[in-house]
Amino acid sequence: MKQLLLLAILPLMISCNGQKKIDVLKLNLNEPIKNVIDFNDNLRIGVETVEYPFCLLIEVKKSEKYSFEGIDLEGQKIIFQINAEKLKTDSISRFGGAHIDLKPIKNENELSNTLQNFNAENKIYGLRIEMKTPGLKSEILKKIELKYGKGTKNPNTDNGLYWNLKKENKYIFFAPDYDRLIILNNTNLSKTCYWDTFNGLLDFGGCDNEKYTQELMKNATKPEDTKNKPIIKIDKNWNLNNLIVGKSTEDDFVQSQTNKNFERMVEIDGSTGNVNEIMYQNEYHDFYFYLSASKKNPENRKENQIMGYAINDFRKVEISFENGLKTGMKFEDVVKLFDKNSIIDYESLKFANYIEIKNGPYKTTLNFDKKMLFSGMFVK
């Protein structure tokens, strides 16, 4: 009887072929990384900001070594989370940003070198399970509810649930809308707040959102300390560095001096496969260009036109204006620079923290910070 009890509490399941499987629900989530992975598996390590931007991830694909309370997880992607101080910053990601940099690891030396590069711990603190099918989601939920009871409804999603397991120092987030089950050791996490892209911001009671966000990005670069700031000149017609909205092409932009540290992104219509829009993003400087895509050939840069741009934080760029605008100007002083007829919904300005200016077929939006000082803009 004692032997059976001992076997029951071990986080292992023996498959028919004798291979030991790790029961992930029984992990404490503070185990050494090398104890929960097998270098013979398809392993990748690095950054994947859509999955979670503020830690290092190890992705395991098509492994036969994991189970969940007796459920075989063969074929499901397993992702382990590792605390990495270097990634608690906004230099590679902002909320909603997308950045993927994962590389294969084949042995302990490659793992050790990567951990050192990211100033990361050598143990896990969480895991994420991909749930591809409705059947798997249903079975996993049954197992969780059998062990921990009904979860709390996640107000940010249609079908999400979560469990705050204080005695076990764990969070469980069931996010079937996004095919994810997330389990975390919360010993070193906030006890009042949680955020990720699949669950949104959750308040466990007394959440100070601003303080929590500051802790997530405690190594973030102050905007005013941003390096290699782009030099931007806006003319009287709201054109940027001689790039004309509605006329200049993607080819013009690519060959211009403005094109530094931008990443090309493509938005695709899921139902047709057509390219809807092209965007060039420089997340570090909060600087973006939006382009229409040629219906005939979206890869022909001479046929894709610039349809707008955004500069979200003037502290990250060096910007000047020909029309008298200056960064940091007061809201009321900016209003005085423009004819009332050129301002959209002029009578509603007393309730607004932005000003919209007529700009031919386009619209120029001037944004203001909490102190109502001119801080950013976009044309689209």
Side-chain angles (χ1 to χ4, degrees):
M1 183 67 179
K2 289 182 180 179
Q3 287 180 335
L4 290 175
L5 182 61
L6 178 61
L7 287 172
I9 63 173
L10 289 173
L12 297 171
M13 182 180 77
I14 309 300
S15 67
C16 295
N17 61 11
Q19 183 185 41
K20 291 181 178 180
K21 287 183 179 286
I22 297 174
D23 187 334
V24 295
L25 189 58
K26 291 184 172 66
L27 293 174
N28 293 319
L29 299 176
N30 59 6
E31 290 83 0
I33 298 167
K34 63 182 181 179
N35 289 4
V36 297
I37 63 172
D38 187 327
F39 290 107
N40 292 318
D41 279 337
N42 182 359
L43 304 176
R44 296 197 302 165
I45 189 170
V47 177
E48 216 281 40
T49 62
V50 173
E51 193 68 53
Y52 190 69
F54 302 113
C55 75
L56 194 64
L57 302 174
I58 291 184
E59 177 186 273
V60 188
K61 282 189 174 182
K62 299 180 180 180
S63 176
E64 301 177 359
K65 298 177 177 64
Y66 303 100
S67 67
F68 186 93
E69 287 285 283
I71 301 171
D72 196 339
L73 296 177
E74 183 178 350
Q76 307 302 317
K77 182 166 63 176
I78 308 293
I79 300 170
F80 292 105
Q81 295 187 207
I82 304 157
N83 182 46
E85 287 298 308
K86 191 173 182 179
L87 296 178
K88 293 180 180 178
T89 174
D90 62 350
S91 64
I92 62 165
S93 170
R94 296 173 59 84
F95 290 128
H99 179 91
I100 300 174
D101 187 7
L102 297 168
K103 66 176 184 179
I105 50 170
K106 298 179 181 179
N107 54 57
E108 197 168 337
N109 285 336
E110 291 180 356
L111 171 63
S112 179
N113 289 338
T114 303
L115 296 178
Q116 185 175 355
N117 290 340
F118 282 93
N119 191 18
E121 297 180 351
N122 62 1
K123 62 182 180 180
I124 64 170
Y125 79 90
L127 66 90
R128 310 167 87 85
I129 301 170
E130 181 182 53
M131 304 182 294
K132 291 182 179 179
T133 67
L136 179 61
K137 295 173 187 178
S138 177
E139 289 301 310
I140 283 180
L141 179 58
K142 287 178 183 178
K143 293 288 187 180
I144 298 173
E145 291 182 335
L146 183 63
K147 188 167 186 174
Y148 298 114
K150 297 290 184 181
T152 302
K153 177 72 174 69
N154 183 338
N156 304 316
T157 63
D158 292 334
N159 300 293
L161 299 167
Y162 67 87
W163 290 258
N164 185 355
L165 306 175
K166 295 181 181 180
K167 290 184 179 180
E168 296 188 19
N169 293 320
K170 285 183 180 179
Y171 295 138
I172 297 179
F173 302 101
F174 181 72
D177 306 291
Y178 300 97
D179 300 338
R180 288 294 184 276
L181 177 71
I182 300 160
I183 310 175
L184 305 173
N185 182 323
N186 66 16
T187 301
N188 297 314
L189 302 181
S190 169
K191 302 303 186 293
T192 58
C193 306
Y194 177 76
W195 172 91
D196 70 21
T197 53
F198 303 128
N199 291 284
L201 179 67
L202 293 172
D203 185 345
F204 301 133
C207 175
D208 184 332
N209 185 15
E210 185 173 350
K211 183 178 179 180
Y212 172 67
T213 303
Q214 289 175 350
E215 177 61 23
L216 283 178
M217 300 190 293
K218 62 184 180 182
N219 299 321
T221 304
K222 293 181 179 179
E224 55 270 24
D225 294 335
T226 303
K227 297 178 180 179
N228 301 316
K229 296 181 180 182
I231 298 173
I232 299 170
K233 184 176 181 180
I234 308 296
D235 69 21
K236 293 180 180 180
N237 296 314
W238 304 106
N239 298 312
L240 187 155
N241 291 353
N242 296 319
L243 293 170
I244 302 171
V245 176
K247 184 177 180 180
S248 294
T249 65
E250 180 180 3
D251 193 58
D252 294 329
F253 167 74
V254 169
Q255 296 189 51
S256 72
Q257 291 296 314
T258 305
N259 180 27
K260 294 178 181 178
N261 302 313
F262 281 88
E263 180 181 10
R264 189 181 194 263
M265 307 291 289
V266 175
E267 179 187 286
I268 297 176
D269 186 323
S271 61
T272 65
N274 295 330
V275 177
N276 286 337
E277 185 180 64
I278 298 167
M279 180 176 74
Y280 277 83
Q281 63 178 19
N282 178 340
E283 290 191 335
Y284 180 63
H285 295 105
D286 254 350
F287 188 11
Y288 307 86
F289 281 89
Y290 306 95
L291 299 95
S292 63
S294 167
K295 293 183 180 179
K296 292 182 179 180
N297 182 10
E299 295 306 314
N300 186 342
R301 299 190 316 200
K302 293 184 178 181
E303 293 185 8
N304 303 327
Q305 287 190 334
I306 295 175
M307 305 304 291
Y309 61 83
I311 309 160
N312 292 333
D313 192 337
F314 288 154
R315 294 173 297 179
K316 297 182 177 183
V317 300
E318 296 288 348
I319 188 168
S320 61
F321 299 85
E322 286 187 351
N323 60 5
L325 278 171
K326 293 182 180 179
T327 62
M329 285 184 72
K330 295 180 180 180
F331 186 90
E332 56 269 26
D333 292 335
V334 172
V335 172
K336 294 175 184 177
L337 288 177
F338 300 96
D339 184 275
K340 292 181 181 181
N341 294 326
S342 69
I343 298 177
I344 301 171
D345 294 330
Y346 177 82
E347 299 301 327
S348 301
L349 285 181
K350 57 184 177 181
F351 304 111
N353 63 350
Y354 61 89
I355 300 171
E356 294 181 326
I357 309 293
K358 296 175 184 177
N359 182 15
Y362 303 97
K363 179 172 62 178
T364 297
T365 301
L366 311 179
N367 294 323
F368 296 79
D369 62 19
K370 294 179 181 179
K371 297 181 180 179
M372 296 303 287
L373 303 177
F374 184 36
S375 61
M377 66 175 292
F378 65 88
V379 174
K380 201 172 183 183

